[in-house]
Each structure stands twice: as structure tokens, then as C-alpha cells.
Amino acid sequence: NAGVTQTPKFQVLKTGQSMTLQCAQDMNHEYMSWYRQDPGMGLRLIHYSVGAGITDQGEVPNGYNVSRSTTEDFPLRLLSAAPSQTSVYFCASTPGAAYNSPLHFGNGTRLTVT
Amino acid sequence: KQEVTQIPAALSVPEGENLVLNCSFTDSAIYNLQWFRQDPGKGLTSLLLIQSSQREQTSGRLNASLDKSSGRSTLYIAASQPGDSATYLCAVGNTGGFKTIFGAGTRLFVKA
């Protein structure tokens, strides 16, 4: 198993550009989520999904869209990048409520918006 | 709204010392509490998960406790080593476990 795979690892965008951060897991996990990590602020939840076709907002959803068309994939879209979105983005997954298992994290995408 | 606080923000100790990291949360209706380790520039590694019905979990030199009624958890590290130097994050899962909220972390430095 590859676990949780995030691409790309690094990305530089200009203000106003759009892009999609990819996240895929091969563990058949029901729950997936996106976090951003900024210095001194820990991880903040952007969006999460409890299954294919179901998504909801987390703590800091503005400026981001998500979709979950398959169990495996949970892409994060930046609609119009802003310097405030410069951050490290982490995708995570977990099996679901019946299992009470740890979150599995990808290695992150470091995004810089100039 | 669940809020998670970790104290201290940073800690420097000599090798061999036993130490305690603290985590507090505002809503006691939790599903689980997790402790993670993060090395600089890396992702997060799960250390321990305590289910809401449990009081503690142990793994090697690590012991985590949970007191839901007071909204507190502690991570105890015995006989610290330089390799333990990292940031330790506490995270609380909501009922159902589909939303997990993180604290800002404690940055630990163990001096040889």
C-alpha cells in the first residue's frame, strides 16, 4: 500500500491563478480531510468528506473547493490564489467511525503564492 | 466550537529527563484524542490514539492519558533522547471521528 499520496510536493503560483492539489489513498478509507499548516498555528481543517459524494466545510474553507467523486481521491481546488494561501497543505484519511483509527497523513504540498 | 490548546509551546530538556506535554480541549464530547509527532519539513506520524472510553495508552517510552471531564490530556515521555526532538501535536476527534481539530503543538528539543 502506498498510503496517502499528495501531488505536487512543491508549487509556486501567482496571485489569481488557480490550481488543484491532488490527494489519493489506497486503503479504502471512508473519511478524508484537508488541512493547512502555518507557522505557530498547528493544522487547521479546510474541508472534509465522510464518503464519496459527501463533503463539508471545516474551520477555514474560504477560497477552496473540494469534491469526492470516488472513495480514493479527494482533490483540493484553489479558485483564485492569494498570498494568504501560502502554506503547507496536508491530506489525511481514516477508515471511518466504526474503526476509531488514527489519521493517516500524506507528506504535504508546500505552496507559495507570490 | 472545539478548541485545543497545548502548553508549553516549546520545551528544551537535557537527555535522560522525564517530561510531560499538556493538551487541553474545550468540548468534552469527543470521539478520540490523538498524539502525533512531526519532524521539521515532514508529515505527521501517529504516536498514540485514546478512544473516548479509555483513560490511557502506552507505547514504549510514551504514555498518554485522557481526562474528558476536565478536558485534558498529557503525553509523558520517559528517559528522553535527542532523537525525540520534534514537534508534538495533540488532536481531538469529534463524535463520529470525521472532524479532527489540532492544537498548535509543542516543539521539543532534547540536548545531548
Side-chain angles (χ1 to χ4, degrees), chain A:
Chain A
N1 286 352
V4 180
T5 302
Q6 291 185 238
T7 56
K9 291 184 179 179
F10 302 94
Q11 183 71 49
V12 179
L13 290 178
K14 295 186 187 306
T15 297
Q17 287 184 319
S18 62
M19 80 158 294
T20 298
L21 279 63
Q22 302 291 344
C23 175
Q25 52 90 11
D26 61 357
M27 298 172 283
N28 201 33
H29 284 178
E30 194 173 356
Y31 295 169
M32 296 185 73
S33 49
W34 276 102
Y35 292 87
R36 61 176 287 173
Q37 185 175 34
D38 301 298
M41 298 190 72
L43 277 74
R44 290 184 292 170
L45 182 62
I46 304 172
H47 285 285
Y48 64 94
S49 169
V50 297
I54 306 170
T55 64
D56 206 346
Q57 298 181 348
E59 301 170 276
V60 288
N62 292 342
Y64 307 96
N65 273 0
V66 293
S67 60
R68 183 104 180 265
S69 56
T70 67
T71 299
E72 294 78 18
D73 300 298
F74 191 42
L76 178 72
R77 297 184 192 83
L78 280 69
L79 308 174
S80 177
S84 61
Q85 294 179 304
T86 293
S87 189
V88 181
Y89 291 84
F90 288 101
C91 179
S93 72
T94 191
Y99 301 92
N100 209 334
S101 295
L103 285 171
H104 296 252
F105 278 87
N107 288 328
T109 295
R110 188 174 297 272
L111 175 68
T112 302
V113 183
T114 62

Side-chain angles (χ1 to χ4, degrees), chain B residues 33-110:
Chain B
L33 186 141
Q34 300 180 63
W35 284 93
F36 292 86
R37 170 184 172 138
Q38 185 177 30
D39 294 291
K42 304 291 187 183
L44 279 75
T45 301
S46 176
L47 296 173
L48 291 165
L49 179 148
I50 310 175
Q51 298 181 15
S52 62
S53 59
Q54 298 173 329
R55 295 299 298 262
E56 66 175 350
Q57 283 287 337
T58 298
S59 176
R61 293 182 294 109
L62 305 179
N63 175 275
S65 68
L66 172 64
D67 184 345
K68 280 200 310 179
S69 61
S70 66
R72 294 184 180 180
S73 176
T74 61
L75 178 67
Y76 175 83
I77 303 177
S80 58
Q81 303 170 357
D84 294 330
S85 298
T87 296
Y88 291 81
L89 294 135
C90 168
V92 175
N94 71 322
T95 301
F98 50 86
K99 282 177 69 173
T100 297
I101 304 300
F102 281 78
T106 294
R107 191 163 59 246
L108 173 65
F109 179 64
V110 181

